[in-house]
Amino acid sequence: MRYGTLTVFLAVAVGLSSPVAAQSESPDAGWDRVHTWLRNLVTAQESYYADHGTYTTDLAALRLLPAIRQDSVWIRVVHAGGRSWTADAGQRGVMGRSCVIYIGRLQDFPSVPQTAQQQHQPAEEAVPVCDQP
């Protein structure tokens, strides 16, 4: 009888540490969502530009709200206007790490987009660049 209880306990413990459980708790999963939202932002900004001839800082006008509020990701369009914009993003509750993205010429920005750790500058237009963990 005692061995039966031990077997059940071990089966439950092994089940809790299965690869499926570990994948759902992956810290990179949140950063994958940040990248997805930044790509969505590029699409939304391009659509807005096609209709208005300029970019915007207004996430509501880009139709990204309230969906972004329901996720664990935050986005802020830092600068937008004319033919350029820049944004930063990250995971809610994660301090000291962020991503940046831009469209346009870097010379058009009041300051060069930088991540939270200010180690990286965007290398390519429309490509998210993030701090390393």
Side-chain angles (χ1 to χ4, degrees):
M1 191 79 161
R2 187 172 184 199
Y3 293 111
T5 305
L6 180 60
T7 302
V8 170
F9 175 76
L10 287 174
V12 169
V14 169
L16 291 176
S17 63
S18 71
V20 173
Q23 286 176 352
S24 67
E25 297 175 11
S26 168
D28 292 332
W31 293 103
D32 290 342
R33 283 195 308 278
V34 171
H35 280 242
T36 298
W37 274 107
L38 287 173
R39 286 189 293 274
N40 291 344
L41 178 61
V42 170
T43 302
Q45 284 280 28
E46 292 307 312
S47 177
Y48 188 89
Y49 185 88
D51 292 341
H52 299 91
T54 189
Y55 294 110
T56 184
T57 59
D58 186 357
L59 293 176
L62 295 171
R63 298 186 175 139
L64 294 177
L65 298 177
I68 190 73
R69 289 184 178 150
Q70 295 174 359
D71 203 340
S72 61
V73 172
W74 60 266
I75 293 179
R76 177 179 62 139
V77 180
V78 178
H79 164 78
R83 295 185 290 171
S84 64
W85 63 270
T86 183
D88 57 2
Q91 292 184 60
R92 286 189 174 94
V94 176
M95 304 300 289
R97 186 174 178 201
S98 69
C99 301
V100 294
I101 194 166
Y102 76 95
I103 293 287
R105 300 178 322 155
L106 288 175
Q107 301 90 318
D108 293 342
F109 302 128
S111 61
V112 176
Q114 293 183 322
T115 60
Q117 295 176 13
Q118 298 182 353
Q119 296 175 357
H120 305 283
Q121 295 178 357
E124 295 180 45
E125 184 179 34
V127 176
V129 174
C130 300
D131 289 319
Q132 299 301 312

